[in-house]
């Protein structure tokens, strides 16, 4: 087993990429009301198979279109749910018949997707759910899944004869298939653990003992030493990426007081899987603000799309990706390869800084458009030149006479147009530092 590169080298492509696409796609797309519908509605396995396995027919599936939409949105990597909690597998696994080739799809759906995204230069990430509500050896518990509300006796009865070690081996065997059958994989995104008080009582929750997480990490590292692992198999210290979910941290994330590589995973709506009737849908402006916010705190944004049962991203998702892409097309220099501004660079009110250390370039994002001036403290003596990033038009600045007073020493006053530049959701001033 070759030794993995040091973490800062292994994660460099990731922290430079900053923006990725999460894709949640499985049988739940046909239920079209959240990927947890099997849990929420306590749908027994037989019924779930009869409805959704039997009728899964993604006849319009075209991963080239997905990859094109992601690339044009400015995304630099993607993470696909190879298997979600329902247990259904998108690839032609030899470990179970509960897989895409055995549906109307009639083929491995993962391979063409990986090829399409890789062909556009995106890094490849596999989400794999250790939770599995279908596998006959995985213990049923009273926390999650369609049988969670059964009585303790009924759960015990259903767990009779189950051997959790067989399921833990199943996880390793499937992960081995994924890491050896689809070319170099850049991220392995496990989900998720909920250890019980008694770690060995798998009928009340599952963590490292249930998944045999140590053996699982050994398997992963032996097959893909430099792959990036996330933090959800209940094995502190084994992951490379901390994964705050459905929120943006207040500041750069730390573990034990030390900064860590982190990635916020978020949805457009509340659901990860396709949800036809959901009325919530975040605006592209707010998503762009969120992306800037994450990068300004040394983090990534993994933004989710849930394709529908025919294999298409729906109109809402495509429209949003297009709008985000329009901003990224002319402003991505303030995102790729950027992170938090150096100590002491306090952004003006209504603005956010990102900073490209390699270029020594500061990016001032004007989130809320003020009248005529943006006052940037403590940097006037550090600026060599400034321009709008989107059109490279010069932005003048200077120390106003009255700024000589102590209170505003070294403040730069950027003079900006009366109106926000048309079509630019968040105008960015690119500041060339001395
Ligand atoms: C939560 C949800 C799961 C989703 C994941 C994405 O774990 O249970 O459905 O895939 O978040 O981070």
């Amino acid at each position: 087993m070759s030794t993995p590169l040091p973490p800062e080298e292994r994660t460099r492509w990731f922290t430079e990429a900053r923006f990725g696409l999460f894709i949640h796609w499985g049988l739940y797309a046909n239920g079209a009301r959240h990927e947890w519908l099997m849990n929420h509605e306590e749908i027994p396995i037989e019924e779930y198979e009869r409805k959704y396995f039997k009728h899964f027919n993604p006849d319009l599936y075209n991963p080239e279109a997905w990859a094109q939409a992601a690339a044009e949105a400015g995304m630099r990597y993607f993470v696909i749910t190879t298997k979600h909690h329902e247990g259904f597998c998108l690839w032609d696994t030899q470990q179970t018949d509960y897989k895409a080739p055995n549906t109307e799809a009639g083929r491995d759906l993962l391979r063409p997707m990986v090829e399409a995204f890789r062909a556009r230069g995106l890094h490849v990430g596999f989400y794999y759910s250790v939770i599995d509500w279908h596998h006959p050896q995985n213990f049923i518990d009273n926390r999650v899944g369609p049988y969670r509300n059964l009585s303790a006796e009924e759960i015990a009865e259903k767990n009779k004869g189950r051997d959790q070690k067989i399921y833990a081996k199943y996880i390793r065997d499937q992960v081995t298939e994924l890491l050896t059958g689809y070319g170099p994989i850049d991220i392995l995104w496990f989900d998720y653990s909920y250890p019980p008080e008694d770690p060995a009582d798998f009928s009340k929750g599952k963590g490292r003992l249930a998944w045999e997480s140590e053996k699982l990490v050994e398997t992963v590292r032996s097959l893909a030493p430099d792959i990036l692992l996330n933090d959800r198999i209940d094995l502190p210290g084994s992951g490379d990426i901390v994964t705050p979910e459905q929120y943006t941290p207040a500041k750069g994330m730390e573990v034990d007081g030390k900064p860590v590589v982190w990635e916020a995973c978020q949805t457009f709506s509340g659901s990860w899987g396709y949800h036809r009737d959901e009325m919530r849908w975040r605006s592209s402006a707010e998503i762009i603000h969120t992306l800037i916010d994450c990068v300004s705190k040394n983090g990534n944004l993994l933004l989710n799309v849930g394709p529908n049962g025919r294999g298409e991203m729906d109109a809402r998702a495509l429209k949003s990706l297009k709008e985000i892409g329009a901003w990224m097309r002319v402003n991505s220099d303030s995102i790729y390869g950027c992170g938090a501004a150096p100590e002491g660079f306090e952004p003006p009110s209504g603005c956010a800084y990102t900073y490209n250390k390699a270029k020594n370039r500061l990016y001032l994002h004007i989130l809320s458009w003020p009248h005529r001036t943006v006052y940037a403290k403590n940097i006037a003596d550090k600026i060599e030149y400034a321009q709008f990033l989107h059109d490279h038009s010069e932005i003048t600045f200077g120390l106003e006479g009255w700024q000589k007073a102590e209170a505003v020493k070294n403040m730069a006053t950027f003079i900006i147009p009366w109106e926000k530049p048309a079509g630019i959701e968040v105008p960015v001033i690119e500041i060339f530092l001395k």
Side-chain angles (χ1 to χ4, degrees), residues 1 69 159 310 363 370:
M1 171 170 135
N159 284 333
R310 296 198 70 176
Y363 295 95

Side-chain angles (χ1 to χ4, degrees), residues 22 24 35-36 84-85 127 189 191-192 232 245 265 272:
F22 213 165
H24 276 68
E35 74 287 350
W36 272 63
H84 202 264
H85 310 339
Y127 166 111
W189 217 102
D191 191 36
Y192 70 85
R232 298 191 175 190
E245 177 179 318
C265 53
W272 299 91

Side-chain angles (χ1 to χ4, degrees), residues 402-415:
W402 55 274
Q403 289 176 334
K404 298 294 183 221
E406 185 54 33
V408 289
K409 190 172 74 178
N410 200 21
M411 179 161 72
T413 304
F414 292 106
I415 308 302

Side-chain angles (χ1 to χ4, degrees), residues 3 39 61 123 138 167 185 207 228 232 238 264 273 329 366 388:
T3 42
N39 173 82
Y61 175 53
H123 288 269
N138 188 31
Y167 176 64
I185 305 307
L228 301 188
R232 298 191 175 190
S238 68
R329 188 180 67 80
I366 307 175
F388 266 148

Side-chain angles (χ1 to χ4, degrees), residues 349-351 366-375 414 416-420:
S349 67
C351 298
I366 307 175
L367 306 171
S368 130
W369 195 254
H371 179 58
R372 299 290 287 129
T373 49
V374 171
Y375 299 111
F414 292 106
I416 60 173
W418 281 67
E419 287 181 356
K420 189 164 89 168

